[in-house]
Amino acid sequence: MTPANLAATVLSAARAVFETRGLDVTALPETTSMERPRNPEHGDYASTLALQLGKKAGVAPRELAAALAEELGRQPGIKSVEVAGPGFLNIRVDAASVGVLARDIVLAGADYGHTDTLSGERINLEFVSANPTGPVHIGGVRWAAVGDALSRLLRAAGATVGTEYYFNDAGSQIDRFAKSLLASAKGEPAPEDGYGGAYIAEIATAVRAEAPDVLALGEPAALEVFRRVGVQLMFAEIKQSLTEFGVHFDTYFNEKDLHNRGELQEALDRLREQGHIFEADGATWLRTTEFGDDKDRVLRKSDGDWTYFAADCAYYLDKRKRGFDRVVIMLGADHHGYIGRMKAMAACFGDDPARNLEILIGQLVNLVRDGEPVRMSKRAGTVITLEDFVDALGVDATRYALARYSSDSPINLDIAVWTRASNDNPVYYVQYVAARTASVARNAAEVGLTRGEAAGFHPELLKHEKENELLKALGEYPETVARAAGLREPHHVARYLEEVAGAYHRFYDKCRVLPLSDEEITDLHRARLWLNDATRTVIANGLGLLGVSAPERM
C-alpha cells in the first residue's frame, strides 16, 4: 500500500462518514496527504484530515477522527487506527498490504513512479541558451543539469515537453567574438571588450583551416568570415559538450529566424491589436506598466532597429503558436529583473502570466578545491566551463551535485567531497546501493535463489521493522516525482534517493537476503529478493530522472 493508496482509502472512509451523518460531502478535499511519523510507535502513517474538516463539518475534530478511525478499521489492509491529541489519526497497515509493494514495483519496472498529474499539459522548457561566443560556463552547467532533469521529471508526471535552446548569432556579443578571432589570427591581443582564453586561438585556427585566405580579405569581409564560420564551430562544440553531458534538446532555435520570418512585426501587430502599443520620441513602446512592470519597454527604436525585448516578445508568441500552453524559461541570477517585464509581456498578449509563463532563476555555483574557489578555466581563461566540471568531478557527480540543491540557492561544490569513494559523497552513497542491489541479485542467482513467480510471492513475510521502513520509503517515490515536477525542483528526487539508500543499508544490515551455505532457501529469502530488486528499480528510476547512471558494479 502506497501513501497515495492509503490517502484514497482515508478519503473514501471520510466520504462514508459524511454520508452516514448527513454532512456536506462537498467539503471533502479531492486529495489528502499522509505523513510518516518520526516516532514509529505512533504508527506507519498519520493523517490530519479530521482536524482540517472538523470546522467545515461542524463536528469536533476528535469526534470526527473517532468516526473516521472506526470506518478505516473496517478497510482491508488497515491493521489499526488510533486517535491522538485533538484529532490526529495514527494508522498502522498490515505487513501484507505493505509488502505487496515490492512485487508491484518490480513488475512496473521503469514505469514505476510515472504519474498523470501533469497529463494534458504541453510545456516548452528553455534552458542553457548561451550565445555561441565561448564554451558553456559554470552558470550554464547548472541549468544543463537541472533543466535536463526537470524535463525528465515533467515527462514522468505525464506532461508533453519540448526542450529548447535559444541562441543569437548576431548582435554586439557576436561582433566582439568575431573581432577577438580576427585579432588572434593576426597574432594581436584581444580587443579591450573582446574574449580571451585558449579557445579563441583554437577557433581562429580552425576558421583559417576552412578559409585559408581569410586574412587576405579586407577587414569587413574577414570579420564576416570569422563571424559566420567561428559561430558555426563554437556552436558545434557547445552542442557536442552538452551531448557528452547527456543533455539533448528537441529544438535549437535561432533568433535570426524570428527576424527573417517577420515574426517581430507579427508580435508588434498582435500587441497593437490588444491595445498596449504607443508611440513616443519616435520609438514604439509596449505599455508593460499596466501589468506591474517598473517601466514601459521599447520594442522598436527611433532609428527603426528592433530591441532585444521585441525578439523576446516574438519568441514567446512563437512558442505559444506552436501549441505550448506553458512556457518555462530558466535564467541565470543576473536576469532577475527580466521577470517583471516578461510577465507583463505575457499579460499584454492576453495570456495569464501565472498560468502561461514561468521564469525560474538559478543562483551562482562555485567549484572549490581545498576550501579555495577554483576561479578560472585553463581553456576559457576567465570562467569555469562544462569541461572543467566534468574533468574535476565526472559526468555523474556533476549532474547529481548540481541537481541536488534548490536552484534558487547558491552552492559551493567541493571537489574533494564529490570525488571521494565514501558515504559522505552523496552520489557515491546512492550509486553504491544501485551496485549493492545488483550484486545481491547476481549472488542470489549463483546459489539458485530466484524471486519465483509473482503469484507465489508472500508479502506478509516482510514484517521486520527495517523491511517495513524500506517499503514505506519505496512507496513514496511516485509522490516524490509528482511533487518535484509540480514544484519544478529536481532536488527533491536526489534527497529522496539518499533516504532510500539509508533505509536499504539498514535493511541489509538486519535482514539477510541470501541463505547461508547450508541453509535451505525459503519463501522469506524470495520475498526479500523481491524487496532488494524493488529497491534497485527505484534507485535506477530516480537516478535516471537526474541523468545519472545506476551502476551494477563499483
Side-chain angles (χ1 to χ4, degrees), residues 454-522:
F457 171 59
H458 290 272
E460 71 279 1
L461 298 177
L462 298 174
K463 57 187 178 182
H464 190 282
E465 175 188 351
K466 299 306 176 185
E467 293 166 342
N468 184 267
E469 179 186 342
L470 177 56
L471 283 161
K472 285 189 289 186
L474 298 179
E476 293 180 355
Y477 180 63
E479 183 181 344
T480 300
V481 172
R483 183 173 68 254
L487 295 174
R488 318 300 193 236
E489 294 179 343
H491 70 274
H492 290 290
V493 174
R495 298 307 177 104
Y496 163 81
L497 291 176
E498 291 163 34
E499 291 182 14
V500 171
Y504 179 81
H505 285 308
R506 292 186 289 274
F507 155 76
Y508 185 87
D509 289 342
K510 297 293 184 180
C511 304
R512 186 171 182 83
V513 178
L514 303 177
L516 297 172
S517 58
D518 58 348
E519 188 178 6
E520 181 182 353
I521 294 174
T522 67

